[in-house]
Structures are given as C-alpha cells and as structure tokens.
Amino acid sequence: MNSLLSLNVTGTTMGSEPHSADIDVGVPTAAVTKDGRCGRRRKRWKLESTSPTATAPASAEVVIIGAGVMGASIAYHLAKQGKKNIVLVERDVPGSGSTSKAAGGVRCQFSDEVNIALATRSLEVLRNFEAEFGVDIDLVSNGYLFLLDSVADAETFAANVALQQRMGLDSRMLTVAEVAELAPYIGTEGIVAGAFNPGDGHCTPEAVVSGYVSAARGLGVQVLKNCEVTGFESTEGADSRRVTAVTTSKGRIESAQIVCAAGAWSGLIGEAAGVDLPVRPLRREIMVSEPVDEAALGIDLARMPFTIDFSTSFYVHPEGPGLLFGCPDEADVWDFDDKRNPDWLPTLAELIETRAPALGNVEAKRGWAGLYEMTPDHNALIGEAEELSGFFYACGFSGHGFLMGPAVGEVVADLMTGHQPFVDVSGLDKRRFATSGLRKELNIV
C-alpha cells in the first residue's frame, strides 16, 4: 500500500490549507521563503483594513462584487482608466474564495480562439507582474504537458495546437517517446501522444490578488471586506430595468454600474438581481506533498512541467520542494461544498499509480478543496445583462478564471468605459445560450 493510501485510513493525517480568515490578501509576510529553483510555497497575506468605519459609502460610480483575481483586476483597470469612486465588495477577505484554492496554473493551450487571446495577454502581464506591481508571484515557466490516451483526443489537440501556432504560440504535439523523455515519472502505457507549450507554467494566486488590490487601493479604490451583498434596487426603463443600487450587510450603495465577479457564487448574485447567470459550483480537491527526494524519484523539479492526464483530469506540478496533485472526485459534487472528502485521497492514489507510478510513495502534507464556476459549455460569461442595464458580469470561467483574470479585467474595464477591447468577447455574452447555442471550450481540466 503506498503512502497516499495509508495516510487516508483515518482521514485526518493530511493537514488543511488555512481557511480564508488566515489568507487575508495584501502585504506578504516574511515567514515563508520560496524555493528559488523550482517553484513556490503558499504564503500568508495580510490586508490592512480599508473600511475602518465598517460601513459602506452612500454612493459609488462602480460597485464590483467579488475580490478574487477577477474583481481585483477589474477594479484596478477601471481605476487606471480614470473611473472614480470604485467600491470592491467582498463577503470575506480579498482572494479568499476560489482564487486562494486554485492550483495556480497559467496556460495558453485552449481550443477557443478568444480564450487563447485572453490567456496570452494574461501570461504577458504575469511575466512582468513584479516589475509593474512590485509583488513577486513566484512564476515558474516549466510548460504545460497534456497526456492524451485516445486517437480522437490526439486529433482534437493537434487541431488546437495548429490554431495556437497560427496565433504565434510555441505549442507542439509530442510523440510518446518525447513525452517519456520530458516526463520520466509518467507511465506511458495507453498514451498515444502529448501536447506541450514551454511558455505555460504556474504561480501564486494570492500574490496576484495582492498586487491588484494594492495597486487599486493606490488609485483610490475602496475595498469593503466582510461585506455581503443582500439585494439590488432598480428602476423600470423603456426597454429594460436599470440597476440603481446594491444593498449590503454594511449598508446601501447607490450605483448605476455593478459588476458581478463572484466566481462560483455568481449564479446566486444574478438571481438576487433578477439576472440569469447559468453558473454552478463544482467541487475540486488538491493535495500538496512533503518535500520529495528528486534523485530517488528520478525527477528534476526545476524542469518538471505542469502535467495533466487529459481524460481523467489528474494533474501534478512542482510546489516548492514538494509536489501539488489534483483530480476530480469519483462522482462530481455540484454544490457549495469546499470541505475535504476522506474518500478523495484513495481516488487520487489510484490515478497516481496508473499514470505517475514513480510518484506513488510521496507523503501527503496538506490539502484543501475549492469550487470551479461551471457554465453549460465550459466557457466564460462576459458582458452586460440585457434584462438589467448597468449590471455587468465576468464569471463562469469553468476552472480557468485565475489565469484569465489579468486580461479579463482589462477587457471588462474597456467594455464599461466605451473603449474597444483588444479581443472581441461578444461571443461570451450569456445571450449565446438563447441565440447561437453552446460555445464549447474543450481544454478543460
């Protein structure tokens, strides 16, 4: 019996990532130092109070709901474009929702041209993040490797790679021999091909939120933490309703522009506003190992790519001196359930034994669960609600919201200020479900 299975006997051996109250995003502490060679460790972040009176302002030009990477990026870009009196509302603390639970992967390997463009822009921002925002996000660019075990998937990925190459990316298909050389820890039985982009990688999600929140505050954005949205007010217009205010646990804020960037909770926010946002929460879990002996395992953390078994959604990447693993539950949990499941670890162990047997004896150190924000076609929702003027949304990223955040913040700010975004996102408007139909993103983990 390997270490992962034996650790799950009591269901209590593996530690948990601190809850959101301990991950207050903002100024990094010096308690943890990253491994300079191969990756990152989760840091603890503290955000100074931005609302000492604990009450909301009477009015705002823009109210943004959700202070994860999406909301923080939107707030920063709106302020950068000259919007005044912006309020960023968070029911807990910035970065405490799905952003803090993300695996931190950043990649350009998508099947949808708009997603490729958004991801490419985001990666450009992240590569220069420390220079622009003064925050080290521990970006590791070891690439993303997709493992493909069917001819049909290989053909689909080959077409996606061709699209990515036409858009200027260095993506390429790999033979099984090339996969084995790049990832010697992988069991290649059943693998027919791989897809790889050396410019992809991973970084620390909380650090990115920290950079955006700090920069937004510097531009005058007010952050209301521990502030829950309780409702909306609107007036009837000639063709539709128009939003006029949002009510919160800290008071009523009059505003003609609201942005829903609440991740997995966006469907509930939309329901309160009378806006249909087809977003459902899907539980996912992650485990981080104890430091590993690279020589004994035959791996080099400094070169190890973010590796994904596409058909099972099992993945692994370096995390400081250890490894970070993730995979779905044996049966999907469509609920606001971010508690760790004792039945998940054996599921992960079986996938490791099948696809990465060389890593089967690593010891679990800690773990946590979080929520994907899923839409019917696994593609984002970006636009302004037709049934409520002034109500904008950026949600439903179906597991790739963190990596899209930098670019989407820029795009939404452009849409709200009448500027032309660098990419046409009209196809991601939620009205597509009633008009053009599903716009499926295939490269979802």
Side-chain angles (χ1 to χ4, degrees), residues 419-435:
H419 294 92
Q420 184 69 34
F422 73 90
V423 61
D424 181 6
V425 295
S426 60
L428 299 181
D429 190 292
K430 71 187 187 69
R431 281 174 286 194
R432 69 181 182 268
F433 298 115
T435 56

Side-chain angles (χ1 to χ4, degrees), residues 60-76 78 83 86-90 229 232 243 245-246 255-263 265-266 269-270 273 275 277 381-385 388-395 397 408-409 411-417:
E61 190 171 356
V62 180
V63 176
I64 302 165
I65 303 168
V69 67
M70 203 63 62
S73 175
I74 293 169
Y76 166 73
L78 281 171
K83 281 278 189 181
I86 300 169
V87 177
L88 181 59
V89 173
E90 169 57 49
V229 170
F232 297 87
V243 69
V246 57
S255 181
Q257 286 191 317
I258 308 291
V259 184
C260 177
W265 295 266
S266 294
I269 295 295
V275 173
L277 294 176
L381 307 175
I382 302 175
E384 182 179 7
L388 184 61
S389 297
F391 185 97
F392 293 82
Y393 51 85
C395 55
F397 288 86
V408 173
V411 166
V412 173
D414 283 340
L415 292 175
M416 296 180 69
T417 55

Side-chain angles (χ1 to χ4, degrees), residues 102-181:
V106 289
R107 61 181 168 100
C108 295
Q109 293 184 76
F110 286 95
S111 64
D112 187 297
E113 187 171 351
V114 174
N115 287 336
I116 297 170
L118 290 170
T120 301
R121 176 64 68 92
S122 286
L123 264 172
E124 291 173 0
V125 173
L126 294 174
R127 290 187 185 111
N128 298 292
F129 202 87
E130 185 173 7
E132 183 173 353
F133 294 94
V135 176
D136 179 7
I137 62 172
D138 302 327
L139 178 64
V140 176
S141 298
N142 289 353
Y144 248 72
L145 171 64
F146 281 92
L147 307 173
L148 309 171
D149 62 6
S150 77
V151 173
D153 282 345
E155 291 175 348
T156 298
F157 266 77
N160 296 343
V161 164
L163 171 61
Q164 294 156 22
Q165 290 175 341
R166 291 195 297 272
M167 296 181 68
L169 300 180
D170 191 22
S171 302
R172 53 186 180 269
M173 296 296 293
L174 301 181
T175 64
V176 176
E178 290 171 326
V179 168
E181 181 179 3

Side-chain angles (χ1 to χ4, degrees), residues 30-43 130 136-140 204 320-321:
V32 181
T33 302
K34 73 168 184 175
D35 183 323
R37 288 194 314 108
C38 60
R40 62 188 173 98
R41 298 190 190 188
R42 299 268 168 167
K43 297 183 176 72
E130 185 173 7
D136 179 7
I137 62 172
D138 302 327
L139 178 64
V140 176
T204 302

Side-chain angles (χ1 to χ4, degrees), residues 5-332:
L5 285 172
S6 62
L7 280 172
N8 191 58
V9 171
T10 64
T12 60
T13 305
M14 188 169 72
S16 296
E17 192 72 358
H19 294 296
S20 57
D22 299 316
I23 314 176
D24 214 349
V25 179
V27 182
T29 72
V32 181
T33 302
K34 73 168 184 175
D35 183 323
R37 288 194 314 108
C38 60
R40 62 188 173 98
R41 298 190 190 188
R42 299 268 168 167
K43 297 183 176 72
R44 303 295 172 257
W45 304 82
K46 293 295 177 185
L47 179 68
E48 300 170 10
S49 175
T50 59
S51 51
T53 61
T55 59
S59 64
E61 190 171 356
V62 180
V63 176
I64 302 165
I65 303 168
V69 67
M70 203 63 62
S73 175
I74 293 169
Y76 166 73
H77 283 287
L78 281 171
K80 187 179 178 182
Q81 291 198 19
K83 281 278 189 181
K84 305 296 183 184
N85 196 11
I86 300 169
V87 177
L88 181 59
V89 173
E90 169 57 49
R91 68 171 188 163
D92 198 323
V93 294
S96 61
S98 294
T99 297
S100 70
K101 312 290 179 61
V106 289
R107 61 181 168 100
C108 295
Q109 293 184 76
F110 286 95
S111 64
D112 187 297
E113 187 171 351
V114 174
N115 287 336
I116 297 170
L118 290 170
T120 301
R121 176 64 68 92
S122 286
L123 264 172
E124 291 173 0
V125 173
L126 294 174
R127 290 187 185 111
N128 298 292
F129 202 87
E130 185 173 7
E132 183 173 353
F133 294 94
V135 176
D136 179 7
I137 62 172
D138 302 327
L139 178 64
V140 176
S141 298
N142 289 353
Y144 248 72
L145 171 64
F146 281 92
L147 307 173
L148 309 171
D149 62 6
S150 77
V151 173
D153 282 345
E155 291 175 348
T156 298
F157 266 77
N160 296 343
V161 164
L163 171 61
Q164 294 156 22
Q165 290 175 341
R166 291 195 297 272
M167 296 181 68
L169 300 180
D170 191 22
S171 302
R172 53 186 180 269
M173 296 296 293
L174 301 181
T175 64
V176 176
E178 290 171 326
V179 168
E181 181 179 3
L182 180 64
Y185 46 89
I186 290 300
T188 57
E189 183 177 356
I191 297 295
V192 300
F196 181 65
N197 185 305
D200 296 343
H202 59 277
C203 61
T204 302
E206 301 96 318
V208 176
V209 176
S210 168
Y212 277 126
V213 169
S214 297
R217 289 176 58 204
L219 293 172
V221 173
Q222 181 179 4
V223 181
L224 285 178
K225 60 180 183 176
N226 302 314
C227 181
E228 189 167 355
V229 170
T230 57
F232 297 87
E233 296 177 13
S234 62
T235 58
E236 292 294 335
D239 300 316
S240 68
R241 295 180 300 132
R242 171 165 290 279
V243 69
T244 56
V246 57
T247 57
T248 78
S249 58
K250 291 192 174 182
R252 175 182 181 273
I253 309 173
E254 188 173 310
S255 181
Q257 286 191 317
I258 308 291
V259 184
C260 177
W265 295 266
S266 294
L268 297 179
I269 295 295
E271 184 179 345
V275 173
D276 181 24
L277 294 176
V279 177
R280 300 174 65 199
L282 175 63
R283 182 186 177 280
R284 283 288 189 265
E285 192 161 338
I286 282 172
M287 184 275 283
V288 176
S289 77
E290 294 283 359
V292 298
D293 184 335
E294 296 176 62
L297 295 178
I299 62 175
D300 181 357
L301 293 178
R303 299 179 60 250
M304 182 179 181
F306 193 129
T307 307
I308 302 170
D309 188 39
F310 181 67
S311 66
T312 65
S313 291
F314 158 73
Y315 61 84
V316 59
H317 72 65
E319 178 83 357
L323 297 169
L324 182 149
F325 296 88
C327 72
D329 288 290
E330 189 170 357
D332 286 339

